[in-house]
Amino acid sequence: ATLCAGDRSATFRRLAGIAAAELAPGDLVAGRYRIARRLGGGSAQGHVYLATPTDGSAQLALKIFSWDGQDAGAACRFYRDARLAIGLQHPHVARVFDVGQAQTGALFVAAELVDGQTLDDLIKADAGQGRVIDQPRAIAMASDVLAGLGAAHAIGLVHGNLKPTNVMLVASGGTEVAKLVDFAGSQLQDLARAGPAMGTPAYLSPEQCTGEVADARTDLYALGVVLFRCVSGRTPFADRNAQTVMFAHASQQPPELLNCTRTPISESFAMVVMQALAKRPAERFASADHMRAALRAAQDSPLLQPVQGQFDSGDDGARKSPAPAELMSVARRPSTTTAPRLTAFGPDGLELGPTSHMAPAPVHVTNSFKRPSFSVSATNIAAADAATVQAPVAPPAIAAHKVVTANLRLS
């Protein structure tokens, strides 16, 4: 970006209605990136291209974003996050090399080109085979993501849009490594008014849905949703109506993972995920490092066989919420001291007997279940007792986090 002659702070040209126009192979962006080809299908928010720097360095991913040219605050937050991301170097985070403004006025980020598949692609491929990701693989992936989040949070950078499409799985030395991408794009929804509220509704935290200030713990909530989907094949809340999903995130308790899982998991693992999905940030893990340690501890606990899980194709936007009759919920939450005992099975498949792992109060084995007292279906919300349940309303505009923008000017 051009520097201000007065204080040398970065500036952007403020133009109206800047769209991420289609670029052709050979086009030059900002005088230093030559377009090779487009990557992916693109969206209303912008396009991603394979580009070659004119200085001869390695090819990279060039993300060009739309911008309405009016929201100076969004541009400042975008630029702030991108500059922070440039300083972040971590094996589980895709590098960001540059940020600026193209000659058309559109904003861009030059980032590391990650060769691998997205977690979303893996989930959908498994769904097509009637499978889900098992607990060991889910913990390994989440541990990598949390390591990257910990490094980002330490410098004041919140992702704000963590979801399976932003987790890349890369083969490295015979093992699978997860890398977080799109750190600099967390302000994307603010810049492109054609898009929905910031982030993807299925992975938004309650505070994002209600327009409150979000901090690092909003990323932990999103990762809880990701882990929920990994082992169950579905997200905690799903509906074709984005507003209904956001209302559920803000006000409804998620279904018990122990009832939804389609693969053996430990009670400890389920408790970690459910704590990450706590409505209040203060009730979640204090940091990414704390959640990572809890997940690693959970991998040594006995596995519990699935009770009943709801499965879907992996398409968050197209599926419909399960009807209340299709859902079951344990009578007590496993995170309480009266968690129900469940039968555990060892690695050899032999029954180990009832367990009350991490549940201090002894309770008897139970097979009693109850239907949930809520549904995220808009029809059921409308049919509920008006005296006790209010219909969902459109949440206010989402603010990812408060930042100081006094040192960044727009001319």
Side-chain angles (χ1 to χ4, degrees), residues 76-170:
C76 289
R77 292 191 297 273
F78 168 85
Y79 184 77
R80 169 195 176 272
D81 281 1
R83 298 303 300 179
L84 282 174
I86 289 174
L88 178 60
Q89 298 186 40
H90 192 276
H92 297 299
V93 177
R95 287 286 312 277
V96 174
F97 302 115
D98 189 17
V99 58
Q101 189 172 28
Q103 53 269 33
T104 62
L107 304 177
F108 71 83
V109 168
E112 174 187 357
L113 184 65
V114 180
D115 184 16
Q117 71 172 154
T118 68
L119 177 60
D120 188 66
D121 288 338
L122 174 62
I123 292 173
K124 290 178 178 178
D126 280 350
Q129 300 295 319
R131 302 190 307 262
V132 294
I133 297 174
D134 60 29
Q135 176 182 296
R137 194 175 188 181
I139 289 179
M141 175 277 299
S143 294
D144 288 350
V145 169
L146 287 165
L149 286 176
H153 295 166
I155 63 172
L157 183 60
V158 176
H159 194 289
N161 193 23
L162 201 162
K163 54 186 177 180
T165 53
N166 284 333
V167 177
M168 296 293 298
L169 302 175
V170 183

Side-chain angles (χ1 to χ4, degrees), residues 135-136 138-146 223-224 227 266 268-273 276 285 288-301:
Q135 176 182 296
I139 289 179
M141 175 277 299
S143 294
D144 288 350
V145 169
L146 287 165
L223 184 58
L227 285 170
S266 68
S268 300
F269 175 83
M271 292 170 68
V272 170
V273 175
F285 293 94
D289 290 341
H290 282 88
M291 183 173 174
R292 187 167 184 249
L295 275 176
R296 289 192 161 186
Q299 64 189 358
D300 297 324
S301 301

Side-chain angles (χ1 to χ4, degrees), residues 248-326:
H249 277 302
S251 62
Q252 307 289 8
Q253 290 301 320
E256 292 292 347
L257 181 56
L258 285 172
N259 265 351
C260 299
T261 181
R262 292 181 57 87
T263 185
I265 62 174
S266 68
E267 187 176 2
S268 300
F269 175 83
M271 292 170 68
V272 170
V273 175
M274 298 306 287
Q275 183 173 343
L277 293 176
K279 298 300 178 190
R280 297 177 55 202
E283 296 176 355
R284 298 172 206 154
F285 293 94
S287 69
D289 290 341
H290 282 88
M291 183 173 174
R292 187 167 184 249
L295 275 176
R296 289 192 161 186
Q299 64 189 358
D300 297 324
S301 301
L303 298 179
L304 309 175
Q305 293 289 358
V307 178
Q308 176 180 335
Q310 301 299 322
F311 193 66
D312 63 67
S313 64
D315 186 354
D316 289 327
R319 71 178 180 272
K320 184 170 177 57
S321 302
E326 297 173 341

Side-chain angles (χ1 to χ4, degrees), residues 268-407:
S268 300
F269 175 83
M271 292 170 68
V272 170
V273 175
M274 298 306 287
Q275 183 173 343
L277 293 176
K279 298 300 178 190
R280 297 177 55 202
E283 296 176 355
R284 298 172 206 154
F285 293 94
S287 69
D289 290 341
H290 282 88
M291 183 173 174
R292 187 167 184 249
L295 275 176
R296 289 192 161 186
Q299 64 189 358
D300 297 324
S301 301
L303 298 179
L304 309 175
Q305 293 289 358
V307 178
Q308 176 180 335
Q310 301 299 322
F311 193 66
D312 63 67
S313 64
D315 186 354
D316 289 327
R319 71 178 180 272
K320 184 170 177 57
S321 302
E326 297 173 341
L327 290 173
M328 295 194 304
S329 177
V330 284
R332 300 180 182 90
R333 296 178 60 80
S335 55
T336 67
T337 56
T338 55
R341 286 190 173 206
L342 298 170
T343 301
F345 292 81
D348 56 359
L350 296 178
E351 184 174 322
L352 300 178
T355 177
S356 57
H357 181 68
M358 296 185 72
V363 291
H364 63 281
V365 179
T366 176
N367 290 318
S368 62
F369 296 92
K370 68 176 182 179
R371 291 180 182 176
S373 58
F374 69 91
S375 167
V376 297
S377 168
T379 302
N380 288 303
I381 290 176
D385 183 1
T388 58
V389 179
Q390 296 182 351
V393 296
I398 308 302
H401 46 275
K402 293 181 178 178
V403 297
V404 177
T405 58
N407 64 342

